[in-house]
Amino acid sequence: MTFTRSIKIAPSILSADFANFGQEIQAIEQQGADWVHVDVMDGHFVPNLTFGPPAVKAFRPHVKTVMDVHLMISPVDAYIDAYADAGADILTAHLEAGPHIHRTLQAIRGAGMKAGLALNPGTPAEAVTHLLDLTDLICVMTVNPGFGGQKFIDMTAKIRALRSMIGDRPVHIEIDGGVTPDTAPLVAAAGADVLVAGSAVFKGGSVTDPAPYGANIRAIRDAASAAAP
């Protein structure tokens, strides 16, 4: 993974056809997805239950770009090796998921993955001050985590603060929640470079008619790129 600040679109396969994950992943990549975002939920840290390590491992052979695995689980540390074995390129843990996030980030990097740090809407940017040098990605939640299709929460002030704190460090700012062609320019202008989108990418298409995926990805990318600094 070569670091760049160009706009990257990371479709969330939580919005894909659950009976056709392999084909859906191939379809979104062929239609221009930069990364593939996998939302892992435990029914405890967030009010939903999704994929475990065996599912993520099954997705891996189909992902030719970057597999971006977002853990909305608590605790995290006991599962880091399992997601490394499953093939995650980036493993993101929530700052709110446990008392020893510094150790969690060290362990993720120690297992050979890029370390992501996610912040819920109520968590301030300043919470990452002493963690930036252990972090490859900061995921700013623009919805309360747990399920797709929620309304966008404006976190542009937090994004701008993070962008200033990051400076010239090679740390991505990822946005997760409510990303559409309307909201993408707001977060891109504030300094975000990775946009996670679920329903906004998958709406109107299917594995037998993937062209709408490409049109949706281009619409989000074009809107964000036009506003990016």
Side-chain angles (χ1 to χ4, degrees):
M1 289 174 55
T2 302
F3 181 85
T4 76
R5 293 207 183 280
S6 62
I7 296 296
K8 290 162 282 295
I9 309 300
S12 167
I13 61 169
L14 194 61
S15 295
D17 176 0
F18 276 35
N20 286 296
F21 276 125
Q23 290 174 285
E24 289 275 51
I25 289 167
Q26 291 167 21
I28 56 173
E29 288 191 335
Q30 287 164 4
Q31 292 295 323
D34 300 287
W35 295 4
V36 174
H37 190 83
V38 181
D39 288 305
V40 174
M41 306 182 190
D42 64 358
H44 162 70
F45 180 68
V46 293
N48 203 345
L49 193 62
T50 60
F51 316 114
V56 175
K57 193 167 192 172
F59 303 154
R60 177 73 260 187
H62 301 282
V63 178
K64 306 304 181 194
T65 55
V66 172
M67 189 159 69
D68 174 31
V69 178
H70 178 189
L71 299 184
M72 288 170 267
I73 69 173
S74 178
V76 172
D77 293 13
Y79 299 97
I80 290 170
D81 287 344
Y83 285 100
D85 179 65
D89 295 302
I90 303 167
L91 194 67
T92 297
H94 271 258
L95 185 142
E96 309 85 4
H100 305 295
I101 189 64
H102 188 284
R103 184 166 64 199
T104 299
L105 294 170
Q106 284 181 313
I108 291 171
R109 282 186 163 183
M113 296 172 287
K114 299 285 188 184
L117 177 63
L119 305 180
N120 283 340
T123 301
E126 292 70 28
V128 310
T129 301
H130 302 292
L131 299 167
L132 284 173
D133 291 328
L134 278 173
T135 306
D136 300 292
L137 175 148
I138 297 175
C139 176
V140 177
M141 296 301 300
T142 43
V143 296
N144 285 293
F147 48 95
Q150 297 183 69
K151 190 172 183 232
F152 177 81
I153 301 171
D154 187 350
M155 289 283 132
T156 49
K158 184 192 292 190
I159 298 163
R160 284 194 296 270
L162 288 166
R163 186 67 196 85
S164 177
M165 293 164 65
I166 288 167
D168 60 2
R169 294 177 178 90
V171 179
H172 296 289
I173 297 179
E174 178 176 77
I175 305 303
D176 189 351
V179 171
T180 68
D182 294 326
T183 58
L186 304 175
V187 296
D193 64 286
V194 183
L195 307 185
V196 175
S199 50
V201 166
F202 285 96
K203 67 179 182 182
S206 67
V207 293
T208 55
D209 180 25
Y213 298 166
N216 295 337
I217 289 168
R218 286 190 296 277
I220 297 168
R221 189 195 310 280
D222 290 350
S225 296

